[in-house]
Amino acid sequence: MCPQCGTRHDEWDHGGPDEEDQYIAVGQRCVGCQTIADKQKQLEQQGIDLHGMKIGLLPVAIHAAMEAERELRKAQRGRRAWDDEDDE
């Protein structure tokens, strides 16, 4: 089985006049793949090295939660230990 397309060699017409192929090639646009390609292009235009970088899709709600957590940790790092005593 081909790891890229998932077909087997014996599924294809190998020259027999009466045999039809079992598949037909069709085009299909994936909005997710297009969004990833757009982000890669944007990062390249910004001069960011993409070697080894994976671009993936993340649900908006999860991204917002991660950003909120990141901001909370940043704020906590900026506080000193004695600042917590003032809150009591």
Side-chain angles (χ1 to χ4, degrees), residues 1-12 22-24:
M1 178 184 285
C2 174
Q4 185 171 347
C5 72
T7 65
R8 298 181 188 283
H9 181 74
D10 60 350
E11 295 175 319
W12 292 96
Q22 294 182 24
Y23 299 94
I24 186 166

Side-chain angles (χ1 to χ4, degrees), residues 21-79:
D21 289 335
Q22 294 182 24
Y23 299 94
I24 186 166
V26 296
Q28 180 178 354
R29 182 178 307 273
C30 173
V31 177
C33 292
Q34 182 178 358
T35 301
I36 289 170
D38 290 345
K39 182 64 173 183
Q40 289 170 327
K41 185 175 181 180
Q42 175 190 15
L43 293 173
E44 286 175 346
Q45 289 173 344
Q46 294 174 357
I48 296 173
D49 181 15
L50 296 180
H51 287 91
M53 181 181 285
K54 301 277 188 220
I55 306 296
L57 300 174
L58 193 61
V60 173
I62 292 175
H63 181 263
M66 291 172 67
E67 288 295 313
E69 181 181 18
R70 190 174 296 127
E71 288 297 317
L72 179 62
R73 288 182 186 204
K74 182 179 175 184
Q76 288 174 340
R77 281 193 305 267
R79 296 185 70 166

